[in-house]
Amino acid sequence: MLGAEIPFPRPRREAWPELVEEPSPPGSGVEDSAGQGVAATATSSSSSSSVAQRWEEEARRGAAPLARDPPRGGEAAGGEEEPLLRGIFQIGKRSCDVVLSARQLRWSPIQPESRGGFPNRPKFLKVFVNPNSHKREATHVYYEQVAPLFKLADIKTDVTVTEYEGHALSVLKECELHTFDGVVCVGGDGSTSEIAHGLLLRAQIDAGRDTDYILSPVRAPLPLGIIPAGSTNVLAHTLHGINHAVTATLHIIMGHIQPVDICTFSSPSKLLRFGFSAMFGFGARTLALAEKHRWMPSNQRRDFAVIKTLASLKPEECELSFLPLKNSLQGSQEKVTKKKERFKKSDSKVQWHTIQGHFLNVSIMAIPCLCSMAPRGLAPNTRLNNGSMALIVVRNTSRSEFIKHLKRYASVKNQFNFPFVETYAVQEVKIQPRTKIGHDTEENVYLHATSAEVNYPWNIDGDLMEGASEVHVRVHPQLINLYGVSIDELDDSKAMCSCL
């Protein structure tokens, strides 16, 4: 018997009501699907049958409401008494919502959901588990916390435990996706990004699109669920408001779906990948350094990479071109005029703007990117599906001022309220680094004069990617469905995650 009780005050034992069978009143229209049973209280009873047996009998005949006493004190609005206990119990072979009040025991059968009434509730899921995620906990998280809930919800699964980077992508290209209702990732942001990319790439292939150049991609065929089990879970925290596997699982079971914007990252000649967010400069260099020290524990590796990259902080000389939304100039009010003066319109029709200079970090984000280190989000002014990206530009400044900017992400203060930080809401961005000539001792590579020969590190959803000299980023509104709730529903959530 499965029970889920609400913690109402427990009544004294002598006040507990007893179940008394009463005949259904004539003309009550009682039938098996009547849907509710009520047992009136009695001061004494000589019945020898157990309460459970009587529940089963009442459930079989679908007992109609029997309480005919006039309302008494303590009744809730609408004529029903305040409940003392409430839970879900099995009566006979049916799950029922059972409510115990001071005078009555009421229950109503829980009707099974159907695809017609609940079209988003999955029945068969393709699950990918990254066993190497965060202290190798992903396998334990899935089989101990997630799989039992799927079984209780009568959801069938086909599980693939990934063995190498790109394994999930190769499976998604070949498997029979039409047999599934959704895809689930158990891992960190890197695993999730790979699977989202694979779903969208498969959609283009099935639609007969050229995957080297995609101007208007088709939507992903299935929703994606994210079970947090990695060292970073920005996507999971953004969708669920808390970095918790059970919460994420319940959103999947209930079929809570949100359409989400996603970006394409392309070189001049081909599509590089799909992704939700990206960093160029400090954020990418930090990840590249951390990836070289995978033997270290995740937290130590992250801290080491941040400290070492800060110690050798240096800007990237770039040209940024972007297509802004109308009235999208943001940031410090006193800097707006200066920003406008720096713009050079390259095409008056599409209103492309260009800025040049030395930048410590450039962030491009189609989602808010909530995490423990940035409770308000790395890009708090954007949403999951508002059709725009946040372009956050950090110009060259002193190390101490840059550190102040980074610390602001963890506070309630505005992290963008610095004279060297500029933010824009954009539809497209082109980033073209200026090529250096010579040997870069920090990166241990030789930079040639020909820009086409240089690859620069990019941090895309926590996954390291090497990009060409020019990368074109476009946002595509509501291109994929994710299991979760909207960011507006999370605004009042005080839950904190521990994903980083």
Side-chain angles (χ1 to χ4, degrees):
M1 181 169 67
L2 179 64
E5 297 182 348
I6 295 178
F8 290 102
R10 185 183 180 95
R12 295 176 300 173
R13 289 187 62 87
E14 61 268 21
W16 281 66
E18 296 185 35
L19 183 66
V20 177
E21 289 186 305
E22 296 280 353
S24 301
S28 60
V30 175
E31 53 190 35
D32 287 343
S33 60
Q36 189 176 65
V38 176
T41 60
T43 57
S44 64
S45 174
S46 60
S47 173
S48 60
S49 62
S50 68
V51 171
Q53 288 174 333
R54 279 176 274 176
W55 280 7
E56 294 180 10
E57 293 170 4
E58 290 290 324
R60 279 195 296 270
R61 60 189 191 85
L66 300 175
R68 296 184 293 274
D69 295 338
R72 301 182 184 179
E75 292 188 349
E80 294 184 3
E81 293 185 352
E82 292 288 348
L84 298 173
L85 292 171
R86 185 169 190 169
I88 299 174
F89 294 87
Q90 182 175 329
I91 302 177
K93 295 184 178 181
R94 305 177 69 181
S95 295
C96 295
D97 179 17
V98 181
V99 181
L100 175 68
S101 67
R103 298 171 46 246
Q104 295 177 333
L105 180 65
R106 307 169 62 90
W107 67 89
S108 56
I110 299 174
Q111 300 299 326
E113 291 83 1
S114 64
R115 286 185 176 270
F118 295 84
N120 295 328
R121 296 200 61 175
K123 297 296 182 183
F124 190 23
L125 293 171
K126 177 63 186 176
V127 179
F128 292 96
V129 180
N130 181 358
N132 297 317
S133 288
H134 192 43
K135 302 178 183 178
R136 303 182 182 274
E137 294 177 348
T139 304
H140 172 80
V141 167
Y142 177 72
Y143 286 106
E144 296 296 324
Q145 301 181 37
V146 179
L149 292 178
F150 282 161
K151 185 176 180 180
L152 284 174
D154 197 26
I155 295 176
K156 297 180 181 179
T157 57
D158 181 74
V159 182
T160 296
V161 179
T162 58
E163 300 176 359
Y164 53 88
E165 184 178 354
H167 187 183
L169 178 61
S170 62
V171 171
L172 285 170
K173 286 182 178 179
E174 302 295 334
C175 71
E176 299 291 334
L177 277 182
H178 67 274
T179 63
F180 301 104
D181 299 312
V183 176
V184 174
C185 171
V186 186
D189 286 333
S191 302
T192 303
S193 181
E194 177 185 331
I195 294 173
H197 171 68
L199 275 173
L200 285 163
L201 196 62
R202 172 64 182 271
Q204 314 316 308
I205 295 172
D206 290 347
R209 300 290 182 90
D210 181 2
T211 57
D212 285 338
Y213 181 77
I214 303 175
L215 184 62
S216 300
V218 298
R219 299 185 82 250
L222 298 176
L224 171 61
I226 305 168
I227 306 295
S231 57
T232 59
N233 288 108
V234 169
L235 284 165
H237 193 183
T238 302
L239 286 161
H240 309 302
I242 188 171
N243 186 41
H244 199 286
V246 173
T247 302
T249 304
L250 292 177
H251 283 154
I252 295 172
I253 291 173
M254 297 304 296
H256 295 160
I257 285 179
Q258 287 296 320
V260 178
D261 301 342
I262 197 168
C263 308
T264 51
F265 298 83
S266 306
S267 71
S269 59
K270 67 175 183 177
L271 170 73
L272 299 175
R273 69 175 300 155
F274 292 90
F276 299 94
S277 65
M279 292 184 185
F280 178 80
F282 176 80
R285 286 178 177 271
T286 300
L287 179 62
L289 184 58
E291 288 296 309
K292 294 179 181 179
H293 296 78
R294 297 289 298 181
W295 53 270
M296 298 175 66
S298 58
N299 288 341
Q300 295 181 19
R301 180 172 69 243
R302 180 201 63 201
D303 294 342
F304 166 78
V306 169
I307 293 172
K308 188 169 183 181
T309 307
L310 282 172
S312 58
L313 187 65
K314 58 184 178 181
E316 297 282 359
E317 185 178 1
C318 297
E319 179 178 289
L320 304 179
S321 301
F322 59 91
L323 181 62
L325 298 178
K326 293 182 180 178
N327 304 319
S328 65
L329 295 182
Q330 305 170 23
S332 302
Q333 291 293 327
E334 63 271 17
K335 296 299 173 183
V336 171
T337 302
K338 292 184 179 180
K339 288 182 192 177
K340 291 180 178 179
E341 291 174 355
R342 287 198 294 264
F343 292 154
K344 295 188 296 184
K345 292 188 178 181
S346 59
D347 190 326
S348 59
K349 268 190 175 181
V350 295
Q351 296 179 341
W352 279 86
H353 298 282
T354 301
I355 56 177
Q356 299 176 349
H358 292 78
F359 306 104
L360 290 176
N361 192 70
V362 178
S363 299
I364 304 167
M365 299 182 175
I367 62 174
C369 296
L370 278 67
C371 64
S372 62
M373 298 184 67
R376 296 175 56 245
L378 298 175
N381 295 327
T382 191
R383 288 293 181 267
L384 291 173
N385 48 27
N386 63 352
S388 70
M389 302 178 291
L391 171 62
I392 304 167
V393 178
V394 182
R395 289 182 175 269
N396 192 23
T397 188
S398 66
R399 183 181 291 105
S400 61
E401 287 297 300
F402 183 65
I403 292 175
K404 288 180 183 178
H405 162 65
L406 295 180
K407 287 183 175 180
R408 284 277 186 92
Y409 281 95
S411 72
V412 296
K413 296 181 179 179
N414 184 0
Q415 62 260 41
F416 307 133
N417 191 22
F418 290 93
F420 53 87
V421 179
E422 303 170 9
T423 65
Y424 309 91
V426 301
Q427 303 173 63
E428 297 185 43
V429 182
K430 294 178 182 178
I431 299 183
Q432 185 172 10
R434 298 291 181 86
T435 305
K436 302 174 184 177
I437 302 176
H439 190 270
D440 188 327
T441 57
E442 291 293 330
E443 300 296 331
N444 197 29
V445 294
Y446 190 84
L447 303 177
H448 301 275
T450 306
S451 61
E453 300 177 12
V454 180
N455 286 329
Y456 294 85
W458 281 77
N459 180 342
I460 298 182
D461 298 331
D463 203 12
L464 183 64
M465 182 195 79
E466 287 191 347
S469 58
E470 179 180 327
V471 174
H472 188 176
V473 187
R474 294 185 180 93
V475 66
H476 303 278
Q478 304 184 16
L479 199 62
I480 188 171
N481 285 335
L482 301 183
Y483 288 106
V485 295
S486 69
I487 189 64
D488 294 326
E489 297 177 45
L490 301 178
D491 284 343
D492 296 331
S493 174
K494 300 183 183 301
M496 299 289 291
C497 83
S498 56
C499 56
L500 293 176

